[in-house]
Amino acid sequence: MASSFLSPSAGLDFVAVDFETANPDPSSVCQVGVARVLRGQIVATDSWYVVPPTGPDSFEPSFSALHGITAETVRREGFSWYDSLDHLHRVTRALPLVAHNVAFDRTVYRKASEAMGVPARDADWYDTVVLARRHVPAANHRLDTVARALGLPSFHHHEAEADAVTCAQIALTIAAQREVTSVTDLWAEPSRSCAPQSG
């Protein structure tokens, strides 16, 4: 799946990422979704299933009901977190990572890596929740609520690729509204207290 959502905008280069988990343990990653953005365009998207580091039998029914992923899914189609991390690093390279609720996704990235005994590469993380709270009047700042408030296309919430694409679209839409042309400038205002966090 590939898309060009907005006109090219120099400096808006990042990878939006979303993780789904099998249970409340943040190391139980079971799906990865990414949307690669170069010069203000979504140029590539991808997703894949992961055999959770907590084991394929660690799915809780309420989580499977939310995202539709089961033990059978990851046994049949899932990659190890080790292989997933290698692929994720090839996709992201040195680009900053953007997520909707960075605290969750960054923790999954770190905890899953720790569980497998592999290093999680340092990265600059930026949170679209921060942008939404500053610039999007809405009843709440959940991903689907913000997307509706911005008039973005409907999407399959809790499917990792769709969530990553929507996260990227939120950042790009707010950048266009604010006439901002770089990731650092987009998140720079209004104070240093909202600076990116390094993972």
Side-chain angles (χ1 to χ4, degrees), residues 85-86 88-90 92-94 97 109 113 119-123 125 199:
L85 198 59
D86 182 62
L88 185 60
H89 288 167
R90 289 198 304 272
T92 59
R93 301 179 187 174
L97 302 181
Y109 178 74
S113 300
R121 183 178 299 174
D122 287 342
W125 289 83

Side-chain angles (χ1 to χ4, degrees), residues 126-127 130-135 174-175 177-196:
Y126 294 84
D127 197 340
V130 170
L131 294 183
R133 285 174 177 161
R134 291 179 191 165
H135 304 301
I174 294 172
Q177 291 174 346
R178 305 291 297 175
E179 299 183 343
V180 172
T181 58
S182 77
V183 168
T184 51
D185 287 346
L186 181 57
W187 271 271
E189 52 181 342
S191 73
R192 294 178 62 187
S193 64
C194 293

Side-chain angles (χ1 to χ4, degrees), residues 50 52 166:
V50 181
T166 300

Side-chain angles (χ1 to χ4, degrees), residues 37-50:
V37 174
L38 297 176
R39 296 176 299 281
Q41 288 188 310
I42 299 175
V43 297
T45 74
D46 195 9
S47 66
W48 59 93
Y49 296 117
V50 181

